[in-house]
Amino acid sequence: MSNRKSELETLRADLKARLAKYEAHQHRQDGALEKDFEEQAVQTQNDEVVDSLETETRSELAQIEHALDRLANGLGDECERCGEEIDPRRLQVLPYTTVCVKCADE
């Protein structure tokens, strides 16, 4: 279980670092938009992609935080829907999951 906890903590740190980069991009910490209209269009399109990535990263980070909370409360290997044990192979692939395969499929 502590191995899973350290894996989740590493994932959390990676996601937080990624979020910092996305936020820096969105706040133009590398500089303002180009004066060239075509370059502005490319930068704006990049902003949409970065915004989507940021949203996805925040969602994954929330899942990791939830899984860490469940681990801290001794519920990390238990499905939060049906209460059955989550298959260790599933936890290896998705360390932040909180539901078993059966409940995830429903």
Side-chain angles (χ1 to χ4, degrees):
M1 180 143 76
S2 64
N3 187 30
R4 184 166 161 235
K5 182 181 176 188
S6 65
E7 184 178 354
L8 287 169
E9 288 171 342
T10 299
L11 282 171
R12 179 175 57 187
D14 290 346
L15 291 176
K16 284 183 175 185
R18 208 179 304 167
L19 275 176
K21 288 179 185 177
Y22 296 154
E23 289 169 357
H25 174 85
Q26 298 294 55
H27 293 104
R28 302 273 182 239
Q29 290 180 355
D30 293 335
L33 285 175
E34 296 289 329
K35 294 186 188 284
D36 182 299
F37 180 74
E38 287 180 23
E39 280 297 314
Q40 283 182 4
V42 169
Q43 285 178 311
T44 302
Q45 191 174 31
N46 287 345
D47 287 349
E48 292 172 8
V49 171
V50 170
D51 188 47
S52 177
L53 291 170
E54 182 178 354
T55 299
E56 187 178 303
T57 301
R58 286 187 187 285
S59 174
E60 191 174 347
L61 185 59
Q63 291 174 40
I64 288 169
E65 295 288 356
H66 182 63
L68 283 167
D69 286 346
R70 287 183 54 81
L71 276 172
N73 291 315
L75 303 169
D77 297 337
E78 182 181 299
C79 177
E80 67 182 350
R81 290 195 187 151
C82 70
E84 295 294 320
E85 184 178 345
I86 300 172
D87 187 327
R89 293 171 295 184
R90 178 169 170 76
L91 292 173
Q92 244 181 339
V93 175
L94 290 170
Y96 51 83
T97 193
T98 58
V99 293
C100 66
V101 172
K102 181 181 167 198
C103 289
D105 287 343
E106 293 176 353

